[in-house]
Amino acid sequence: MKMTTTTNSQQSPETSKYTVVGTRPIRHDGLDKVIGAAKYGADIQMAGMLHGRVLRSPYAHARIKSIDTSKAEALPGVTAVVTAKDFPIFANAVDLAVVQGNPRLQAEHIMALSKALYKGHAVAAVSATSPHIAEQALELIEVDYEVLKPVLSIEDAMRDDAPLLHDDLTTYFKLERFARGDDTGAKSNIASHIQHKLGDVEKGFQEADIIVEREFRTQTVHQGYIEPHASTASWAGDGRLTIWTCTQGAFAIRTSVSAILDIPESDIKVVPTEIGGGFGAKATLYLEPLAAILSKKSGRPVKIVMTRKGVFEGTGPASATLMRTKIGATKDGKITAAQLWMAFEAGAFPGSPVGGATLCATGGYNIENLLVDGYDVVLNKQKVQAYRAPGQPQGAFSVEPVIDELADKLGMDPLDFRLKNAATEGDRMPNGVPHPRFGVVELEEAMKAHDHYRTPLSGPNQGRGVAIGYRWQGGQASSATIAVNSNGTINLITGSVDIGGSRTAVAMQAAEILGISAEDVSPTVVDTDLVGYTANTGGSRTAFDTGFAAIKAAEETIRLMKARAALIWEADEADITFDAGKFICGSTEDTISFKDLSARLMRTGGPISCSVSATSPGIGPIIAGNLVDVEVDPETGKVDILRFTAFMDVGTAVHPAYVEGQIQGGSVQGIGWALNEGYVYDENGGMLNSSFLDYRMPTSLDVPMIETVMIEVPNPKHPFGLRGVGEAPIIPPLPALANAITDAIGVRMTILPMTPDVILDAIQSKNG
């Protein structure tokens, strides 16, 4: 295990054995983005392009009795109008048991069919020769609504007599996160009930000397990406559909559009533009089918760009939750049992990240007796989407404060208590699967040894919070293509949209294998016609999975070039080895560099290129932790963060600066989630703060300098020891800040966001 405090540009000890991995080259796409040459979704311009706009429901729950589009269609300049009847998929039956990627449900989310299920639900779309005409046309569409009573809270949605959002929705019970489950036959707003169970929970609580129970609530929060959703479609006369869109996964868009529009995937090309932030929220589709149908009807390309209000009201935020936690421990600090009850808002359609919460909330601990129940609950709000470690920040918020409270009641140091119960290799995850090697102990030891933890607080009304956050990360398939140039450089083609510098991180891994510099790699992200299937950029998988594919492509490139070296030396191919950028003939000890051999390819058989599709070996677990000092003004409830140190087991940092950026960025988002952010709804389900002016994201004035400490416990599943780093940093800030504020005011914080009024209420409750 190696630990690096990343306050300088030096290479970390673990990565010093590599030539490229662990260095900090300038990112390949940096210049285009700095000078404004990079093309984002709204930058697409085409000859004859039309402008699309979307009409959204003013009601949170309403039956659509009729839609009259005749006046809009008659408006000069309007070329097409789309409603749900234009979607071919609505001719098919829906299976509500399949909620992950169900195209029928996706289609009904994109365009309301018989009912509008949240305020902002799209009900029609138009295309016109100008955006102003398109806006005017929306006002001419007449929709006859039968307004229904909305269901706006988890408690109301789970009641037996609650109004049903979906008449045919029945609860599925499942024991695994992505399992289909068994249909209980019970019609309700509970789409699914997931359960994990280890040991004998009742017996574990009987063995406990102390038990703590708490209830926790979190509110709906937005991912905060700067770029609004934007899509352009051109449906050509030959039936070929091309879509330009800001997405985290071009192939996923292609698959969904194919199902919704009932056309073959082979007739669809999706071109991912540069993306101005996503954090999981751009891993699904909203505008692409609408632009496509409008283009087909109009015979011209159509571009739709969401307004900021449309983004807030019509796309997917992170789940609000209601959670109850009960944990017991012995006098010497050993956890004997834990029981968690978690209800997550899914929004209008099934599919909340409650599975991530049930699997990961206790993942950093070895708890032999455990029962976790999670509920996916539909209600009349926006259908939720992923947000950086989906479900896990809320899950940690329901566990870490209880861990702190147990330590306090036992008179133990909070990190000593965590270390005594830390999960290690072979311990069971909540689903019964043994943990592989990862650095929980190393991380907590680093936190305890850090100067931040050893420095006393300096004044009144100050508090220190500790928390860890665990994430399990799977993997998916990626593809990579390498073409060798005559000057010894390579072109690297992948299908992974670059959100956080993944072009460079992947290029560095290929360069390390080939013995060339990162600057000698020209990485390009291409469309679905030009590279093999590649799953979404998300799940902290891109540097790992697409890097793995690039490594395999680089190894195949070396194999092909060995044959050329053997031809030059008239040697047996098996006698050729490759090391540090040089081909070596074992029998003669002749050498030739990768660059020099590249210059001779055309004279030894022609150009060399290769394409590889690789399935991930599985990324594995990741652990992060925070130390946070705060000062709370008892008169106003205002919180000032005095010091913030973020720790993470990164496996191996390919590009330490990008890893730092991921840790710091996730930490800032976690700070906003904890202290400021949340959707505000009126009694009818309307969002009252649907702008960045009113939705309170943290600014540079709200956050301190964030020190990052990278612990490197190499991941045995990756050739260079990588772990995913994009998501786990957002998990611990929520409970760490709650624990810090609790330490400062002496009242346990259980509600997010911890705005000044919430803190003042807590202080008032303490004072009676």
Side-chain angles (χ1 to χ4, degrees):
M1 182 272 290
K2 303 292 183 182
M3 181 177 73
T4 303
T5 301
T6 56
T7 55
N8 54 52
S9 59
Q10 297 179 359
Q11 197 170 3
S12 68
E14 179 58 38
T15 53
S16 61
K17 63 185 179 184
Y18 301 120
T19 303
V20 180
V21 169
T23 62
R24 301 178 184 230
I26 295 173
R27 61 188 292 170
H28 297 78
D29 55 326
L31 178 62
D32 279 352
K33 289 180 176 175
V34 167
I35 66 175
K39 298 298 183 184
Y40 291 83
D43 293 328
I44 300 299
Q45 298 293 334
M46 303 178 68
M49 189 179 73
L50 302 170
H51 301 270
R53 290 292 185 269
V54 179
L55 180 67
R56 301 185 180 278
S57 169
Y59 304 108
H61 197 188
R63 199 175 308 280
I64 300 173
K65 299 171 70 175
S66 66
I67 302 178
D68 185 352
T69 63
S70 58
K71 293 180 181 178
E73 291 168 329
L75 182 69
V78 171
T79 61
V81 180
V82 169
T83 63
K85 64 180 177 60
D86 294 296
F87 283 50
I89 196 170
F90 287 135
N92 303 320
V94 60
D95 180 2
L96 285 171
V98 183
V99 298
Q100 297 291 338
N102 184 317
R104 167 62 186 257
L105 289 180
Q106 283 185 324
E108 195 168 342
H109 182 205
I110 293 164
M111 185 68 76
L113 181 59
S114 59
K115 286 202 298 186
L117 294 173
Y118 56 95
K119 186 181 184 298
H121 198 171
V123 295
V126 303
S127 59
T129 53
S130 79
H132 306 292
I133 294 174
E135 292 283 357
Q136 186 180 354
L138 294 184
E139 297 176 2
L140 298 177
I141 297 174
E142 298 176 354
V143 184
D144 185 9
Y145 293 102
E146 178 190 348
V147 180
L148 305 173
K149 182 180 179 181
V151 182
L152 300 175
S153 71
I154 288 174
E155 293 96 327
D156 287 344
M158 296 183 75
R159 290 193 177 116
D160 292 338
D161 60 349
L164 296 180
L165 272 71
H166 303 277
D167 295 337
D168 297 325
L169 180 64
T170 54
T171 303
Y172 271 68
F173 176 77
K174 48 190 178 179
L175 298 175
E176 295 182 16
R177 184 177 175 187
F178 294 114
R180 179 184 175 91
D182 297 319
D183 189 352
T184 65
K187 290 187 176 182
S188 76
N189 292 318
I190 302 172
S192 62
H193 170 198
I194 184 170
Q195 185 180 85
H196 297 300
K197 187 175 183 180
L198 294 175
D200 187 333
V201 174
E202 196 171 312
K203 180 174 177 290
F205 281 120
Q206 290 173 355
E207 295 171 351
D209 296 309
I210 185 170
I211 295 173
V212 172
E213 294 186 66
R214 288 285 179 182
E215 181 176 284
F216 299 88
R217 292 178 182 272
T218 69
Q219 299 304 314
T220 306
V221 296
H222 192 265
Q223 296 85 352
Y225 43 86
I226 301 302
E227 179 199 26
H229 297 257
S231 299
T232 302
S234 179
W235 201 319
D238 62 359
R240 181 89 171 151
L241 172 61
T242 303
I243 298 172
W244 296 260
T245 189
C246 53
T247 178
Q248 293 178 232
F251 286 88
I253 296 295
R254 186 182 70 174
T255 297
S256 295
V257 169
S258 170
I260 290 169
L261 301 185
D262 195 24
I263 58 176
E265 287 189 11
S266 57
D267 287 346
I268 304 170
K269 178 169 74 173
V270 178
V271 184
T273 63
E274 296 293 345
I275 184 170
F279 311 110
K282 290 181 181 173
T284 189
L285 73 173
Y286 296 101
L287 303 177
E288 293 85 355
L290 302 181
I293 297 174
L294 288 169
S295 175
K296 185 177 184 180
K297 283 189 166 187
S298 301
R300 292 162 63 179
V302 175
K303 178 168 72 174
I304 308 176
V305 180
M306 281 192 183
T307 64
R308 183 59 60 186
K309 184 177 178 65
V311 170
F312 272 110
E313 292 189 344
T315 66
S319 296
T321 65
L322 172 62
M323 301 171 290
R324 301 183 183 108
T325 301
K326 177 182 177 182
I327 302 178
T330 60
K331 292 178 181 178
D332 63 353
K334 181 63 179 173
I335 295 175
T336 60
Q339 185 170 354
L340 280 65
W341 183 96
M342 300 175 160
F344 272 56
E345 290 186 2
F349 297 91
S352 76
V354 67
T358 60
L359 182 64
C360 297
T362 59
Y365 300 96
N366 178 27
I367 304 176
E368 295 181 358
N369 303 298
L370 177 68
L371 178 63
V372 185
D373 288 287
Y375 298 88
D376 183 40
V377 183
V378 297
L379 68 174
N380 294 115
K381 295 180 180 179
Q382 298 88 340
K383 165 70 177 73
V384 303
Q385 266 307 132
Y387 180 16
R388 209 169 190 163
Q392 287 129 56
Q394 302 99 311
F397 178 64
S398 75
V399 170
E400 289 295 291
V402 176
I403 294 293
D404 248 37
E405 190 169 353
L406 281 166
D408 182 59
K409 290 181 180 295
L410 291 168
M412 291 184 66
D413 177 274
L415 278 172
D416 285 340
F417 183 70
R418 286 171 170 83
L419 279 163
K420 190 176 185 70
N421 295 283
T424 58
E425 185 176 4
D427 292 337
R428 298 284 176 177
M429 296 166 58
N431 60 1
V433 176
H435 281 293
R437 175 85 172 98
F438 73 124
V440 181
V441 171
E442 291 85 347
L443 177 122
E444 292 173 354
E445 288 176 342
M447 294 172 71
K448 187 174 180 182
H450 196 273
D451 172 70
H452 185 166
Y453 200 63
R454 294 171 176 267
T455 302
L457 294 168
S458 59
N461 304 315
Q462 294 183 2
R464 175 166 295 158
V466 175
I468 63 169
Y470 168 90
R471 171 174 168 78
W472 173 260
Q473 298 171 171
Q476 299 184 63
S478 285
S479 299
T481 296
I482 287 178
V484 182
N485 300 315
S486 60
N487 64 350
T489 64
I490 66 167
N491 296 333
L492 175 62
I493 296 172
T494 70
S496 289
V497 176
D498 188 345
I499 296 182
S502 56
R503 275 187 187 91
T504 299
V506 172
M508 290 172 69
Q509 295 175 66
E512 185 72 47
I513 295 295
L514 296 174
I516 60 178
S517 70
E519 292 78 9
D520 285 336
V521 181
S522 177
T524 306
V525 178
V526 296
D527 62 62
T528 54
D529 279 2
L530 297 179
V531 71
Y533 176 85
T534 299
N536 285 353
T537 295
S540 298
R541 64 168 291 274
T542 307
F544 186 108
D545 284 352
T546 307
F548 189 73
I551 288 170
K552 294 299 181 184
E555 291 172 345
E556 177 63 11
T557 299
I558 291 170
R559 187 189 70 79
L560 295 171
M561 292 184 71
K562 281 181 179 179
R564 304 301 178 85
L567 183 65
I568 292 170
W569 290 322
E570 297 181 351
D572 191 284
E573 188 176 333
D575 198 31
I576 310 301
T577 59
F578 181 80
D579 183 57
K582 292 182 178 180
F583 294 90
I584 306 162
C585 182
S587 57
T588 65
E589 297 187 356
D590 289 335
T591 65
I592 185 171
S593 69
F594 181 87
K595 181 176 182 179
D596 290 341
L597 183 55
S598 298
R600 302 177 67 174
L601 291 180
M602 298 305 291
R603 302 193 301 274
T604 58
I608 282 180
S609 64
C610 65
S611 297
V612 170
S613 294
T615 300
S616 173
I619 300 169
I622 193 74
I623 193 78
N626 288 164
L627 297 176
V628 185
D629 294 349
V630 301
E631 184 173 3
V632 180
D633 185 337
E635 299 297 324
T636 66
K638 183 179 183 293
V639 176
D640 289 315
I641 302 176
L642 306 176
R643 188 173 182 182
F644 194 110
T645 308
F647 300 77
M648 189 173 184
D649 171 16
V650 302
T652 298
V654 176
H655 193 304
Y658 296 168
V659 175
E660 293 166 22
Q662 292 292 332
I663 294 172
Q664 291 168 345
S667 297
V668 170
Q669 287 180 311
I671 289 169
W673 198 334
L675 298 181
N676 308 113
E677 297 183 41
Y679 278 35
V680 179
Y681 292 96
D682 63 25
E683 66 277 7
N684 297 314
M687 186 178 175
L688 298 176
N689 58 336
S690 55
S691 72
F692 277 148
L693 179 64
D694 299 312
Y695 182 84
R696 181 72 169 84
M697 289 173 60
T699 69
S700 59
L701 300 177
D702 300 309
V703 294
M705 296 298 293
I706 296 174
E707 182 179 357
T708 59
V709 180
M710 297 189 297
I711 294 93
E712 295 189 307
V713 180
N715 185 353
K717 294 187 175 184
H718 190 279
F720 300 136
L722 273 68
R723 299 185 191 275
V725 299
E727 295 174 280
I730 200 175
I731 304 173
L734 283 65
L737 281 161
N739 288 338
I741 293 170
T742 294
D743 190 40
I745 68 174
V747 183
R748 180 60 55 189
M749 301 303 297
T750 60
I751 297 174
L752 296 186
M754 294 175 289
T755 51
D757 59 314
V758 171
I759 292 172
L760 288 177
D761 286 345
I763 294 173
Q764 182 66 32
S765 69
K766 173 187 174 183
N767 296 332

